[in-house]
Amino acid sequence: MKEAAASFYQSINPKASTDIAERAKLSEIDASMKWPGLLFIVSGVLWLMAGTILAIIASIKMTNPDFLSAWEWMTFGRVRTAHLNAMAFGWGSNAVFAVGLWIMARLCRARIRHVGILFIAGCFWNIAVTVGVIGILRGDMLHAEWLEMPTYITPLIALSYGMIGIWGIIAFRFRQTDYIYVSQWYILAALFWLPWLYTIAQVLMFFEPSRGTVQSLTNWWFAHNVLGLWFTPIAVAAAYYFIPKVLGVPIHSYYLSVIGFWSLALFYNWAGVHHLIGGPIPAWLISAGIVASVMMVIPVVVTAINHHMTVVGHFKKVWMSPTLRFVVFGAVNYTLVSLLGSAMALRSVNEVTHFTHFTVGHAHHGMYAFFTMLMFGSIYYIMPRLLHREWPSATLIRVHFWTCAIGVLIMIVALHVGGWIQGLQMNDAGNYPDFIDIVRNTIPWLHARSISGFLITIGHIAFAINFFWMTWLELGRRDPEGRPTLFISPEDAR
Amino acid sequence: MEWSNYILLGFIGGGIFFACAAWALHWAVKDGQFNNLDAASTTIFDDEEPEGIMTDAFPDMKRKQKEPPRQ
């Protein structure tokens, strides 16, 4: 027993380990991530489909409140919240685990250790999220935005996350490279940031509840940071990895990427307070949040320069690559959504946008047009390397890209324009004394949102068909030489 | 708890967080991570996937590009 414990300790500690000198081949790393990577991506795609159905139902209810209203578990409040949690903790976090750990292992040139534990932890994570989403639908949901899953699931979420995230940190400790690439900085930091955010928020919101408005502060500190310090770093890390990797050229300026990482680490943590502009909390706290939100222009601009300048001169290659289409679309939207977010934090702008569909549009701009599109691109690159098999249908990839890109752009424009008009009308009590008139005026924009949702659903169905076709039906074309690089061989690319 | 206690706890927690970030930055400088930024930017390439090689493309688009231009 003692020997087993000692040997396990050696296997996770580079100082005690005897097998650390080997620089793992990329194919070995891909092989080590095969089963856990598949588990996370398969689960993620299933959650994506479930979240999409919930989203469509919630969207239709905005214009047709009687739709499926006979069941209490299908009421708007529950369905919309189940959609958010299914997408954030089901789709988003599973994608983060797969993409983050795979990139980390590749850049460290160290395989992921104890994949069996990682796999089991992944199963527990998905069981926890399933119980949490069902809990929301059956009426156990909590009052805090982005933390609605019932507290009986919190320990399992925390434990399974710990057993997943730790393998990324251990891979980093076993790294066999001289320099740390900027993507590793982002992923490593995110692996530490999420448990910090989740633990503090859970304690201050539910286990040792703070009083009054401190709860609101904690809520928005968590909700905004889970976007900026969990989903954003992994997506930015993916862009920093895949843009130069697919193009075969180094990033435009590594110096700027370093500034981008450290300025994000410094400023983002403060920004969430801008959700409480006008709220009953000390004005200096709100001002600090606004300052931090505007300071976020620094990491966003340097990251934008880096991503976009790397692509300049290679636009044809972007259209030739399934991965880069999605990744560059996501990177462009990172720039746009972040600059818009900084502007929305200004008091004069926030007066109009707060409590309107503008904010909903902004959330989808960030979580979908930026984060989700980047994860799609990453999965298009990773899957052939995990399975040694090409994607079965290039047409389905194109359908996926165009329907999702056009769909989300329609949604963003509709909710931003509709939300802005809604905000102006709400501030104009003289001309709009009846609130219901303002609500009615939003209906055309909400119809546009539902149409965009249907387009996105078509894209997700195309993606799911291609994905499960590739994964389980084994109809994809096998690469005869079993190389990890598919769709195109290195010789063809010269 | 009173507001002042939350602020105090916030500063302590934030202080620990900031100290960790400062330590990470100090470690990175001491470890030479910022000595040669050009070398760091090329760590994603190696013998297996070298610089100058495009590693992902639709097969049909690649074929189109390879066709000789029409006279």
Side-chain angles (χ1 to χ4, degrees), chain A residues 141-191:
Chain A
M141 116 178 142
L142 302 171
H143 63 278
E145 192 146 1
W146 288 80
L147 285 167
E148 295 98 339
M149 287 200 280
T151 46
Y152 49 72
I153 212 62
T154 302
L156 189 56
I157 290 265
L159 186 69
S160 47
Y161 170 76
M163 297 309 294
I164 294 169
I166 192 75
W167 302 111
I169 296 164
I170 288 173
F172 181 78
R173 293 199 68 204
F174 275 90
R175 69 190 178 279
Q176 292 296 318
T177 49
D178 294 331
Y179 291 101
I180 301 170
Y181 188 63
V182 66
S183 299
Q184 287 165 288
W185 277 115
Y186 278 107
I187 296 167
L188 188 69
L191 292 175

Side-chain angles (χ1 to χ4, degrees), chain A residues 25-26 106-107 109 175 178-181 185 193 196 210-211 213-214 217 244-246 248-250 254 258 262 282 317 319-323 381 385 398 485 487-488 492-493, chain B residues 1-3 6-7 13 17-18 21 24-25 27-28 32-34 36-37 39-46 48-49 51-62 65-66:
Chain A
K25 286 183 179 175
L26 294 179
R106 274 197 151 216
L107 287 172
R109 281 308 194 117
R175 69 190 178 279
D178 294 331
Y179 291 101
I180 301 170
Y181 188 63
W185 277 115
W193 281 332
W196 163 267
S210 52
R211 274 191 352 196
T213 52
V214 177
L217 261 178
K245 188 73 172 174
V246 174
V249 297
Y254 195 81
V258 173
W262 288 102
K317 287 183 180 175
W319 286 112
M320 282 168 55
S321 159
T323 299
Y381 194 86
R385 287 155 179 82
R398 290 193 175 98
T485 300
F487 263 138
I488 187 168
D492 290 341
Chain B
M1 270 204 303
E2 293 303 316
W3 253 97
Y6 288 119
I7 299 291
F17 199 84
F18 185 79
L25 187 59
W27 173 85
Q33 290 297 325
F34 305 131
N36 188 347
L37 296 177
S41 72
T42 54
T43 51
I44 59 166
F45 304 112
D46 50 35
E48 288 181 69
E49 289 180 350
E51 198 177 329
I53 301 291
M54 192 181 169
T55 55
D56 180 76
F58 285 110
D60 52 340
M61 293 188 84
K62 192 67 210 167
Q65 203 197 35
K66 281 193 156 187

Side-chain angles (χ1 to χ4, degrees), chain A residues 269-386:
Chain A
N269 183 42
W270 291 79
V273 195
H274 65 222
H275 283 270
L276 295 169
I277 292 173
I281 60 167
W284 68 266
L285 263 175
I286 295 173
S287 298
I290 294 171
V291 170
S293 304
V294 175
M295 291 301 276
M296 275 301 296
V297 169
I298 297 172
V300 169
V301 167
V302 295
T303 305
I305 291 171
N306 241 343
H307 288 166
H308 308 323
M309 290 306 288
T310 306
V311 171
V312 167
H314 301 282
F315 290 116
K316 269 190 181 173
K317 287 183 180 175
V318 172
W319 286 112
M320 282 168 55
S321 159
T323 299
L324 276 192
R325 279 191 188 197
F326 286 92
V327 167
V328 171
F329 184 91
V332 169
N333 279 290
Y334 174 62
T335 310
L336 296 175
V337 73
S338 303
L339 294 177
L340 258 172
S342 293
M344 285 168 71
L346 300 172
R347 280 189 172 88
S348 52
V349 180
N350 201 268
E351 272 174 13
V352 179
T353 62
H354 208 160
F355 301 126
T356 71
H357 292 297
F358 197 101
T359 309
V360 183
H362 182 65
H364 285 86
H365 199 180
M367 265 307 275
Y368 198 93
F370 159 50
F371 171 78
T372 293
M373 292 297 265
L374 254 154
M375 290 300 108
F376 286 146
S378 307
I379 290 170
Y380 278 121
Y381 194 86
I382 293 171
M383 280 298 289
R385 287 155 179 82
L386 293 184

Side-chain angles (χ1 to χ4, degrees), chain A residues 202-222:
Chain A
Q202 285 287 336
V203 170
L204 281 181
M205 298 293 298
F206 308 118
F207 289 90
E208 195 62 50
S210 52
R211 274 191 352 196
T213 52
V214 177
Q215 285 212 8
S216 310
L217 261 178
T218 312
N219 190 176
W220 281 111
W221 172 79
F222 174 81

